[in-house]
Each structure stands twice: as C-alpha cells, then as structure tokens.
Amino acid sequence: MQETILILDFGSQYTQLIARRVRELNVYCEIHPYNKIPEITDWIKGVILSGSPYSVREKNALIPDLSKIRPKIPVLAVCYGAQYLAQHDGGEVKASNNREYGRANLSFIDRSSNLMKGMSDGSQVWMSHGDTILNTPSTFKIVASTSDVEVAGFSIKDEKTYGIQFHPEVYHTTEGAVLLRNFVIGICGCAGSWTPESFIETTVKWLQEKIGDDQVVLGLSGGVDSTVAGVLLHRAIGKNLHCIFVNNGLLRKNEFEKVLHSYRHMHLNVKGVDASDLFLDALEGVADPEKKRKIIGKIFIDVFEAEAKKIRNILIGRHPFPGPGLAVRILGEITRERVKLLQEVDDIFIGSLHNTGLYDTVWQAFSVLLPIRSVGVMGDERTYENVVSLRAVTSTDGMTADWAQLPYDVLARISNEIINKVRGVNRVVYDISSKPPATIEWE
C-alpha cells in the first residue's frame, strides 16, 4: 500500500484536474463518488471534497457521510465542499447577489494558517460558484478573503479541516500549487515519493493478482483514459484482454481506421465495430444537446454489450488448448516446418467444424502430426509423406471422454481438403479412442 489522498467527487468538471495537481506533487490519489467512500485506512492521509454544479441549498443536495473522516483526517473542501461544511456545521449559505465567476484577488490572507503559508498579497484566484457563505459557525476561522467574498477560505477549530471558495487546481489560480502543497505535504504529511512509474508497476502487479487467468472485455473510445487503461491491462494480462472500439459515425475523417491501426500497433487485441448507421439514424432530427448525449451513450452501451456477449460466447465456446501449445501435438522433433504444417492442417479441420455447425457439438477437437511417414500415390507418382490424425471428443469436464462420431461425409471432405492443400501430407486418420484408456491429448 501507499500513502493516498482521497478525492470525493460531487460532479465537478475540475475533479480530474485536482487529481492531476496532487499527482504532480508526487503523491498518489484516488477519486471516488461522494456517496461511495472506501474504507478509511491508515494509508489515507487526507481527503479533498470537490466542487459541484449543484447547490447545497437544493432539496436533493449531495450529502456525504464524513463521520469516519472528520476530525481524524485532514480535509480540504473546495467550493461546494466548503459550502456543505459551513451549512452542515450551522453556518448560512445563500445565493450570491452577484454570481462569483472568474478572476478575483485575495485581499486578506491569514499567514498563521498552515493552509495559506507562502501565499502573496493580492494573489489571483479563480471563482466559480453561484452560492456563497454568508455566516460561519463559531468554530470557523476566516483565513482568506477577496473584496467581494469575505469567506474565501476558512479553517475549523480543533480540526485539520479547511474550506476554500475558489479553485486552487486551475491554472488561473496563480498560487494554487502553493496551497495544495501546503495541504498535501504540510498538513497531511505526505512524503511526496510516489511516481507515475511506480504506479504503473504496482497497478500491473495488482491487476495480475486480481484478474489471474480471467478474460477481460474493455470498451475503448479512442481517448487517453481508455487507451491508458487498455495498455495497463494488456501489460498485466496480455492476450486475455479483448478490446472493443466502436465507430459512432461522429469521429474525425478516417479516425476510426487510424485509431484501430494505432491500437494494433500497441499490440492490443481490439475489434473494431462500425455502428455509424445506428447512431446517425437515432440522432436524426434531434437538436437538444442533452438528448443527443443520452442517445449516444445508450447506443454505445447497447453496441458494446452486444459485442461483449459475442466475445464471451466465443471464449466460453472455445475448445481447451494445452499450455505448451502445438508442442504436445507434434510427436517427435519440433521444427518450424512441422509447426507450420500442423497449423495448416488444424486450421482446415477446425474451420470445417465451424462451417458445418459441428464445432459446438464436440468438447475438443484438434490435429496431431505423427512421427511417421507413409507411402502414397499422387497422380502417377509415389509419395512418402507425413501422416496426421484428427481427434474430436465429447466430454463435460475432460476427466472422461468419448470419441465424437462425426459424419463420414464431413470427415471425407476434411481429409480430401487437407491432402490437396497441405503439401507434405498424404494420409489422414481419425482417432476413435475414448478416455480411458487413452488420454485426450497424444502427449
């Protein structure tokens, strides 16, 4: 585990930016919904409450349960979070006479406050709220003001809890990094030793332990977030990751093909799905921006779930395959030529079972290259070439198995196609041994 700053999200557009600023201080942080607070362990060194597009005065305001956090752990409440603390503790929050958006300057700074250390007179801050704190509880101490906002910042007596009505995470708050450092390093006591590189290592290891040999289906949007998630998962579980990239018909020109190419260049196992018509047909005649978003979101989920189900069915329906691969199906010496030969044979066999609808009727099917040659006749010439055996069994768990009684005409066509198309094979046999006494595999 590692020291962590917990960010509780109330829906602010800046929440991800808060996380970025914390990580720039070389401190690990996690974002969680305000109503899904994780277990508070000794590794959580501080909590940041984000802003929100909502008002604490609304009937259905977003109310967090901070009973396991205050006053045990340092808290920094930003905008909505600060207004929630003020109202919850008995203060008064009202709609501002003048909405407070954009640049402002601190006209008062309490330099005895650990949160405000090192900040300059007149320091520029960025406001973005329609409500304001009019009156504070007796336990609150004002630590920062602007000419229009008396309670621009406060601390709470006998707690390491602070609130600010401006956004320290945005670029336009010129000394926001100073304030965040004061909180994360100074007040919370974080060492600042975390790095993105260490995060990658620990995340990959955690994913490997968590997922094991399970299969994972991931939706990719083409954006940074999902791509990073895909790369990390691929590092952890490799071929067990199955990605889906949906073309909604609203991408840039040729972007679908370019992004698919990029993903494959990253060695991601990705399936591209062109669902342009579905999206564009559903959006026809719709002008309202929220309706457009909801339509796009719903169709994306529908398409993703349908494709994920297909992948799931393929994965569940796939026949078992041995860990050593074709090595245990090539009896005798393994060479590149013999591997290629068996791959060609097996592709014809399995492909034919799919084409005839027989693949799902057997538990396992495969081909075996035998360590012998046999005499044959092709045209007017005698041949002395390889023998392959086809094996198909029925079973429920692999502990016992019976040979699958495939139709003779299907076996005949498969044998004929193998001998005609795979150079080096002149005889095909079918294994009719059960388990026991034989095993399913030959080696």
Side-chain angles (χ1 to χ4, degrees):
M1 299 294 292
Q2 55 200 342
E3 56 184 21
T4 301
I5 295 295
L6 175 63
I7 300 173
L8 298 184
D9 182 24
F10 293 84
S12 170
Q13 61 179 322
Y14 298 130
T15 301
Q16 294 287 346
L17 189 53
I18 295 174
R20 178 177 176 179
R21 297 297 181 234
V22 172
R23 290 167 187 157
E24 286 174 351
L25 296 170
N26 292 331
V27 175
Y28 177 71
C29 65
E30 293 182 358
I31 299 172
H32 290 264
Y34 76 96
N35 58 350
K36 294 188 181 298
I37 301 174
E39 179 185 0
I40 303 301
T41 68
D42 292 340
W43 294 101
I44 294 179
K45 302 301 182 183
V47 176
I48 297 177
L49 309 183
S50 82
S52 176
Y54 303 102
S55 168
V56 297
R57 299 179 297 104
E58 294 176 356
K59 182 178 179 181
N60 298 318
L62 311 181
I63 306 299
D65 178 7
L66 302 180
S67 58
K68 295 182 180 178
I69 295 173
R70 292 181 61 191
K72 307 166 190 174
I73 303 171
V75 174
L76 174 62
V78 179
C79 287
Y80 179 95
Q83 292 162 5
Y84 164 75
L85 290 182
Q87 180 169 280
H88 176 271
D89 286 16
E92 185 181 14
V93 176
K94 293 286 187 181
S96 302
N97 292 329
N98 298 311
R99 293 193 303 172
E100 294 156 352
Y101 294 99
R103 294 177 179 84
N105 297 92
L106 296 180
S107 57
F108 164 72
I109 297 172
D110 179 358
R111 289 190 171 77
S112 68
S113 167
N114 289 330
L115 185 68
M116 308 304 293
K117 283 182 178 178
M119 297 195 66
S120 309
D121 290 332
S123 182
Q124 177 178 289
V125 296
W126 189 261
M127 298 284 189
S128 182
H129 53 90
D131 291 345
T132 194
I133 302 170
L134 287 185
N135 298 305
T136 59
S138 60
T139 54
F140 281 39
K141 179 184 179 183
I142 296 174
V143 298
S145 304
T146 70
S147 57
D148 293 321
V149 181
E150 181 183 7
V151 190
F154 62 79
S155 61
I156 300 180
K157 185 179 179 181
D158 297 327
E159 296 185 33
K160 292 182 178 180
T161 299
Y162 303 84
I164 50 177
Q165 290 200 93
F166 56 89
H167 289 273
E169 69 276 14
V170 302
Y171 171 78
H172 297 290
T173 297
T174 53
E175 294 181 326
V178 175
L179 186 147
L180 287 172
R181 173 175 286 276
N182 287 341
F183 178 71
V184 172
I185 305 297
I187 296 168
C188 297
C190 293
S193 58
W194 175 86
T195 64
E197 290 76 16
S198 65
F199 170 74
I200 292 172
E201 292 173 8
T202 55
T203 300
V204 168
K205 184 178 179 181
W206 179 82
L207 288 169
Q208 289 169 335
E209 293 172 351
K210 188 79 172 178
I211 298 170
D213 293 327
D214 289 348
Q215 307 286 327
V216 174
V217 180
L218 173 69
L220 297 174
S221 68
V224 174
D225 291 345
S226 65
T227 301
V228 170
V231 171
L232 287 175
L233 276 165
H234 181 261
R235 286 195 188 186
I237 62 174
K239 59 183 178 58
N240 286 353
L241 173 64
H242 307 269
C243 300
I244 298 171
F245 176 46
V246 178
N247 181 8
N248 59 15
L250 302 165
L251 304 175
R252 296 184 181 94
K253 183 178 180 181
N254 300 324
E255 188 170 18
F256 181 60
E257 294 78 10
K258 290 177 180 177
V259 172
L260 267 180
H261 177 75
S262 297
Y263 283 147
R264 286 165 180 159
H265 185 68
M266 297 174 191
H267 306 294
L268 294 180
N269 175 20
V270 59
K271 178 180 181 180
V273 180
D274 189 352
S276 302
D277 290 341
L278 279 176
F279 285 91
L280 296 176
D281 289 347
L283 289 168
E284 189 171 348
V286 179
D288 183 84
E290 284 304 311
K291 287 183 179 179
K292 287 192 285 187
R293 289 177 183 275
K294 289 178 180 178
I295 288 170
I296 293 169
K298 182 182 182 303
I299 295 177
F300 177 85
I301 292 171
D302 291 344
V303 172
F304 175 79
E305 288 182 344
E307 293 301 323
K309 186 176 181 181
K310 291 178 185 177
I311 292 173
R312 176 179 177 273
N313 291 339
I314 291 171
L315 293 173
I316 292 175
R318 284 185 68 180
H319 293 174
F321 190 74
L326 296 180
V328 296
R329 296 175 181 174
I330 298 174
L331 308 192
E333 181 186 7
I334 296 176
T335 64
R336 287 178 174 79
E337 292 75 17
R338 300 191 82 208
V339 170
K340 187 175 186 305
L341 185 147
L342 184 59
Q343 287 173 335
E344 296 294 334
V345 170
D346 199 65
D347 184 62
I348 292 172
F349 182 30
I350 301 302
S352 297
L353 293 181
H354 278 295
N355 294 337
T356 55
L358 293 169
Y359 183 85
D360 292 331
T361 68
V362 300
W363 191 76
Q364 188 175 14
F366 56 92
S367 309
V368 180
L369 178 56
L370 305 182
I372 59 174
R373 293 175 180 268
S374 71
V375 175
V377 178
M378 291 184 176
D380 295 327
E381 296 181 1
R382 291 172 68 85
T383 60
Y384 188 60
E385 295 182 331
N386 294 288
V387 180
V388 294
S389 173
L390 307 182
R391 176 81 156 140
V393 298
T394 58
S395 180
T396 56
D397 56 14
M399 302 306 294
T400 60
D402 199 4
W403 61 278
Q405 298 185 34
L406 299 180
Y408 291 156
D409 60 326
V410 173
L411 288 172
R413 287 198 300 271
I414 293 171
S415 173
N416 188 60
E417 186 175 356
I418 290 171
I419 291 173
N420 284 335
K421 291 185 176 180
V422 183
R423 189 175 296 276
V425 175
N426 69 358
R427 190 179 300 271
V428 177
V429 299
Y430 186 57
D431 185 348
I432 59 171
S433 307
S434 61
K435 175 187 179 182
T439 57
I440 297 176
E441 296 285 351
W442 279 51
E443 280 191 347

